[in-house]
Amino acid sequence: MSKTYTIAVIPGDGIGKEVTPWAQAALEKAAEGEAAFTYEHFDLGAERYLRDGAILPEEEEERIKATDAILLGAVGDPRIKAGILERGLLLKLRFDLDQYVNLRPSKLYKGVTSPLANPGDIDFVVVREGTEGLYCGAGGAVRRDTPAEVATEVSINTAYGVERVVRYAFQLAMKRRKHITLVHKKNVLVNAGDMWQRIVDRVGKEYPEVTHDYSHIDAATIYLVSDPSRFDVILTDNLFGDILTDEAGAVVGGVGYSASGCINASNEYPSMFEPIHGSAPDIAGKGIANPTAAILSAAMLLRHLGFDEAAAKIDAAVEADIEELGSTQRSTEQVGKDILARI
Ligand code: IPM
Ligand code: MN
């Protein structure tokens, strides 16, 4: 008998609704005979907010907390003021569910054109801290809308929060090419940067096989386009990781092939998996959104639950699909079917 997992599904807005069913279908097919899934659907996102003002009602959040993992499509709508859904839904889930590892792999697939002239082999993963830094919401504003207005955003870095994500990065590096690049700005952010570096140095001693080096964030943005194959695991804080992973998505041919995981690595709460792309209102409803990134997020979910082989099946199917058919114009349904047939 295979174990049954409960998955919270938050399709969200726009193309999120169109691609998420394919992530579920891939999950089912890849784990057939190994795991079974039941789904709890949550109507959250811009459309819900515009309809009844709800962002993340407590009762719904409690039900999400009780699941084994979360599949998220995309949230966002240009009609809603910036910050409302980001802080009230996405970041609230990341913080309340203590998803301290934001895991973002970047791989240049054969058959995808990189904007770089000589991309080389690109296959790295960004381990972005997910619950601290400038995202904490520490700060405030006084004398708003006056010429003397003051606005502060404070970056919070705790030794506890840094050490746990550093440990995750070393463990991940052991399963990969055993190299970590810490990215920060320790020449200017001397308090936080120095703490990150000392913790990496200390934890690194427990992993003598893993080499680690350091790059300032500004230099890292150059290396990402000039020599991306140098990277294996990039370890960085919340905001630097946010910026760097958008650039990473671009160098591997666009965010259409990138998935991410917001991971509570202590497994106290469910982790959340999503394609990196947004709700794309311009193409929503047309049936042409590419479900590949959503399907890859299902593979990350499976790997998180311990189904490495099932996850590898999805990864291989996606890789083969892109190599053979990546440059063809296909509907959402066609790409979904093509990938599923290979799983
Ligand atoms: C991301 C997004 C979010 C972030 C926003 C929407 C809050 O840009 O997942 O990278 O900044 O983390
Ligand atoms: Mn981002």
Side-chain angles (χ1 to χ4, degrees):
M1 268 298 281
S2 51
K3 188 173 168 195
T4 300
Y5 294 86
T6 307
I7 308 296
V9 183
I10 310 175
D13 305 305
I15 63 167
K17 286 199 184 50
E18 298 166 47
V19 296
T20 308
W22 291 103
Q24 288 176 251
L27 201 63
E28 293 283 339
K29 183 136 190 228
E32 220 171 79
E34 271 196 278
F37 301 96
T38 56
Y39 301 97
E40 259 201 75
H41 280 82
F42 292 86
D43 173 20
L44 297 168
E47 283 166 29
R48 168 82 181 274
Y49 176 69
L50 290 172
R51 205 170 56 239
D52 66 10
I55 303 175
L56 179 59
E58 209 179 307
E59 182 268 331
E60 287 170 59
E61 186 177 22
E62 287 309 312
R63 282 199 285 130
I64 292 172
K65 275 187 187 164
T67 64
D68 296 301
I70 305 160
L71 267 182
L72 186 97
V75 268
D77 188 296
R79 287 171 293 177
I80 299 176
K81 187 176 175 230
I84 294 182
L85 291 173
E86 289 86 342
R87 280 242 164 256
L89 180 57
L90 266 183
L91 297 180
K92 186 160 169 50
L93 283 172
R94 285 185 198 164
F95 279 81
D96 290 355
L97 277 53
D98 203 23
Q99 294 165 339
Y100 59 90
V101 178
N102 199 315
L103 193 63
R104 301 189 157 185
S106 279
K107 184 169 170 162
L108 179 60
Y109 290 101
K110 283 198 196 75
V112 176
T113 313
S114 165
L116 306 181
N118 299 301
D121 283 333
I122 307 179
D123 182 1
F124 61 83
V125 48
V126 177
V127 174
R128 165 188 176 193
E129 202 290 323
T131 55
E132 299 200 339
L134 276 160
Y135 277 69
C136 281
V142 288
R143 303 196 290 261
R144 254 202 92 148
D145 272 327
T146 73
E149 177 164 351
V150 178
T152 60
E153 314 275 355
V154 181
S155 177
I156 307 280
N157 301 264
T158 71
Y160 164 80
V162 173
E163 178 162 344
R164 60 185 185 170
V165 73
V166 167
R167 289 196 175 276
Y168 186 94
F170 274 96
Q171 282 154 18
L172 180 65
M174 284 299 289
K175 296 189 226 155
R176 297 178 48 99
R177 300 194 306 278
K178 300 189 173 60
H179 182 66
I180 293 179
T181 305
L182 171 63
V183 171
H184 210 283
K185 184 75 186 172
K186 66 181 182 184
N187 53 342
V188 175
L189 308 181
V190 293
N191 303 315
D194 187 61
M195 184 175 79
W196 271 86
Q197 184 67 69
R198 276 181 286 116
I199 292 174
V200 167
D201 291 343
R202 172 163 55 76
V203 172
K205 292 207 176 76
E206 296 171 33
Y207 296 87
E209 287 168 64
V210 178
T211 54
H212 60 91
D213 57 12
Y214 170 85
S215 173
H216 293 317
I217 177 66
D218 46 356
T221 63
I222 295 176
Y223 294 141
L224 215 64
V225 295
S226 64
D227 183 20
S229 5
R230 71 195 288 142
F231 296 120
D232 177 21
V233 175
I234 295 177
L235 168 63
T236 191
D237 86 349
N238 212 340
L239 184 63
F240 295 145
D242 176 46
I243 298 164
L244 215 51
T245 51
D246 266 17
E247 189 187 10
V251 301
V252 296
V255 288
Y257 299 117
S258 303
S260 79
C262 298
I263 296 178
N264 171 251
S266 62
N267 288 314
E268 205 178 328
Y269 299 105
S271 297
M272 182 160 78
F273 301 87
E274 57 179 315
I276 286 192
H277 62 68
S279 57
D282 51 325
I283 61 159
K286 297 190 176 148
I288 55 169
N290 191 330
T292 303
I295 291 173
L296 284 170
S297 73
M300 292 185 78
L301 186 155
L302 283 169
R303 197 164 277 118
H304 175 72
L305 293 179
F307 299 104
D308 287 13
E309 270 173 41
K313 276 191 221 166
I314 296 182
D315 287 342
V318 165
E319 197 160 341
D321 177 78
I322 295 174
E323 187 171 352
E324 204 176 300
L325 299 165
S327 56
T328 58
Q329 284 292 327
R330 289 175 290 169
S331 64
T332 307
E333 186 178 354
Q334 194 58 52
V335 178
K337 282 185 172 161
D338 288 346
I339 294 175
L340 243 66
R342 291 180 196 264
I343 295 179

